Amino acid sequence: MNVTFDVKCNWLSVVVLSACLGVSSVYGSEDMPCGSIPDPFPVERVGKATGSSEHRLRALSALPAKWDARDYGWVTSVKNQGSYGTCWAFAACSVLETALLKNGYGEFDLSEKNMVRYTGWNATANTGGNITMSGNYLTSWQGPALETDSPYPLTGSSDAAFGQSRMLLPKFKVLGAVRIPVRGSPTDNDTVKRALMQYGALVVPYQSCTKSTCYIRNTGACYCNEYTN
């Protein structure tokens, strides 16, 4: 099955900038200039798009007091990454699963293991990753694969225990992604909220501290001392 929509994700990374994988066709024409194709990661704007490579995020008159994707049935099952450094793959697969639900294709469980193995960045289970790597995997049509065809290991923590995954034909073809601008401040969240409402799901990387000096495990609170970093 070929699905011609984008996956919507939000990138809040210093290196990659802030981005969102989206739900509208990027490749609208077969007639491409020689050697040049549309940007697969155009910038999302609030209001009217000013260029062919830009998408427009609907500017709502007012944001609601609350919004929950569960009310629309766009949330898939909770997954467990175990002891591997694969959160980035779980986030990207989850967003695509939501996009499939939202666009009426049904509920699918996609393979995080296959994404890790075929990003094209020589990733392993514990090298870590980011939205550029998952975006490369999806838009180069190396995947996605189904979980049943490349199941995630339930035990272990080493690359050897993680195992290999065979290359498979993509279950869906993701055409591109859309970025949203970097937030201007910690409270600059309206664009993120509008993207959530319009597209259903975002990937939001963030830096966390699990050291006992700044993380309170019983409450989940984290303390950041801006003077000592």
Side-chain angles (χ1 to χ4, degrees), residues 6-11 19-24 26 40-45 55 176-180 199:
D6 308 340
V7 189
K8 198 72 181 175
C9 307
N10 183 44
W11 311 349
C20 232
L21 294 179
V23 189
S24 57
V26 172
F41 304 110
V43 177
E44 181 77 282
R45 303 294 186 189
H55 286 224
V178 180
R179 298 174 294 168
I180 63 173
Y199 297 102

Side-chain angles (χ1 to χ4, degrees), residues 85-86 88-89 111-120 122-126 133 137 152 162:
T86 53
W88 57 279
S111 172
E112 295 83 9
K113 180 178 180 179
N114 191 263
M115 177 178 287
V116 171
R117 288 305 188 195
Y118 291 101
T119 60
N122 296 320
T124 71
N126 292 307
M133 295 163 66
Y137 166 83
Y152 194 84
F162 190 76

Side-chain angles (χ1 to χ4, degrees), residues 6 13 28 30 48 65 70 114 149 166 171 184 211 222:
D6 308 340
S13 165
E30 296 292 333
K48 184 178 180 181
R70 292 175 296 182
N114 191 263
D149 294 330
R166 61 192 178 94
K171 183 66 177 177
K211 295 179 181 179
C222 214

Side-chain angles (χ1 to χ4, degrees), residues 107-192:
E107 185 169 351
F108 292 87
D109 187 358
L110 303 178
S111 172
E112 295 83 9
K113 180 178 180 179
N114 191 263
M115 177 178 287
V116 171
R117 288 305 188 195
Y118 291 101
T119 60
W121 290 67
N122 296 320
T124 71
N126 292 307
T127 55
N130 54 48
I131 201 66
T132 299
M133 295 163 66
S134 57
N136 180 80
Y137 166 83
L138 293 171
T139 56
S140 64
W141 298 352
Q142 301 301 309
L146 295 179
E147 179 68 18
T148 52
D149 294 330
S150 184
Y152 194 84
L154 300 178
T155 59
S157 60
S158 67
D159 290 334
F162 190 76
Q164 299 299 316
S165 180
R166 61 192 178 94
M167 185 173 287
L168 300 163
L169 290 175
K171 183 66 177 177
F172 306 99
K173 290 182 177 179
V174 178
L175 296 186
V178 180
R179 298 174 294 168
I180 63 173
V182 178
R183 295 184 306 169
S185 70
T187 58
D188 180 21
N189 297 313
D190 282 2
T191 300
V192 176

